[in-house]
Amino acid sequence: MRFMRAASGVSGRSQTLFAITRCLPFLVLAAVLGIELSPAHTLYTGPLLSPAPALAAVTMGPVGTGGVAVLAGVVSAITAIHNDAWGTPQLYTNLLALLVVAVASVATCAVRVRRDRELAHIRRIAEVSQNVVLRPLPARMGVVNTASVYLAAERGAQIGGDLYEAMCTRYGVRLIVGDVRGKGLAAVRSAAAVVGAFREAVHYEQDLAEVMHRCAAALAREYELLDRSRLQDPRELEEQFVTVLLAQVVTDDSLVRLINRGHPPPLVMHEGEVRSLDPARPLPPLGLEEFLGPPAIGVETFPFLPGDRLLLHTDGVIEARNDCDEFFPLHRAMETLDCATPSEYLDGLRHALVRHTEGRLTDDAAMVLIERDTGGADRPFR
């Protein structure tokens, strides 16, 4: 599994701007010193020293900001001695202003650094929590080769609700991809409940529909544990749901079995052509069982021949927009790529998605790709 930020670094232009900003207080101090020690010392440069610590606080920590403040004091003393300005009211006023700005800047830096450390710690915890739901997938499972990628939108300490898993069972390779409505710890708890039920049920339930029922029951129990009093809006609990797609591939036929509960349909690539596997009868997401009437949940089958590739994804992929408010053309991107392995193919899709959005995803995006391989037809399921 590849886990990464949509914009995994600053651009060269941002680095240049950062370097210029960091050098700015030193340039100001050098300019003041040069003017005061030159024939142009008649210019009044005293007020230019006070902003130096504030400028340093933008890009430096408390130590660096304090160092710039001390350096500004040294420059002020040197110019006062050179111009014989000791004892004048202007000098004391400038020093007092420099002291006030320096103390405020250092204090601001200290608070910012502490908050940044706390936020970094929270992000590390969030990533560990997310990895419980998004475990790495092996490159080979039974008769399929697999690859996965997860793109996290830049949202501070918030955690996404995307989930996926693939398990090799005696019934075949079974996969789940889902998306919890909302963000934060509540979404992660819901995702963990669903994927945890899936990991257990796939080994004991022969019917794929029963696996879906087990996931729905686990989510219902999780919702019962939520404390309604902590919700800002009592209707918030009623509006929570999880879109889920189950897939199964077995050895003895060239089919893929699907159950779709309100999730974006998967895409299959056969001989260079991409087709959407839309459900014949749309079903509501998990958590909205009151809208699920007869007939009961059924498994739909679609051709999945050796060499075919099946892409399961969340709505963060197809709903990603560029500056022109255009959705990401997933179908076209899949047809234009020509990569040897599923990992390389999925990496190409990731690059296409990041280019389309210029690294600015508004929602987390997860993709799982499986490829039916004729070489693994004789491998037993574990």
Side-chain angles (χ1 to χ4, degrees), residues 290-313:
E290 64 269 20
F291 299 105
L292 180 61
I297 296 176
V299 180
E300 300 185 55
T301 59
F302 300 89
F304 189 50
L305 303 176
D308 288 356
R309 288 177 172 176
L310 183 70
L311 180 70
L312 296 79
H313 56 88

Side-chain angles (χ1 to χ4, degrees), residues 143-145 175 248-250 253-257 267-270 275 277 301-312 369-373:
V143 294
V144 298
N145 300 314
L175 305 97
Q248 176 176 305
V249 180
V250 299
D253 60 34
S254 297
L255 299 172
V256 59
R257 294 164 174 81
L267 303 176
V268 63
M269 170 172 279
H270 174 69
R275 183 168 62 95
L277 304 184
T301 59
F302 300 89
F304 189 50
L305 303 176
D308 288 356
R309 288 177 172 176
L310 183 70
L311 180 70
L312 296 79
L369 182 72
I370 61 173
E371 178 187 61
R372 180 116 193 182
D373 185 8

Side-chain angles (χ1 to χ4, degrees), residues 334-369:
M334 291 182 63
E335 292 178 343
T336 55
L337 288 175
D338 184 17
C339 301
T341 66
S343 179
E344 293 172 348
Y345 186 82
L346 201 58
D347 200 47
L349 283 180
R350 177 184 67 83
H351 283 295
L353 178 61
V354 172
R355 284 196 304 268
H356 180 78
T357 61
E358 295 184 356
R360 296 189 297 270
L361 286 175
T362 58
D363 192 11
D364 298 342
M367 292 182 285
V368 176
L369 182 72

Side-chain angles (χ1 to χ4, degrees), residues 194-242:
V194 173
V195 78
F198 170 82
R199 289 167 179 164
E200 181 71 16
V202 290
H203 295 287
Y204 300 101
E205 298 292 348
Q206 182 175 1
D207 188 355
L208 195 62
E210 289 301 320
V211 177
M212 182 67 80
H213 288 314
R214 293 274 292 271
C215 293
L219 182 65
R221 290 192 298 269
E222 177 61 31
Y223 284 166
E224 290 178 359
L225 296 176
L226 290 178
D227 187 359
R228 291 175 177 266
S229 63
R230 295 183 180 181
L231 299 178
Q232 297 180 355
D233 188 348
R235 296 173 298 179
E236 183 179 347
L237 184 61
E238 301 175 358
E239 296 173 353
Q240 292 191 17
F241 57 84
V242 183

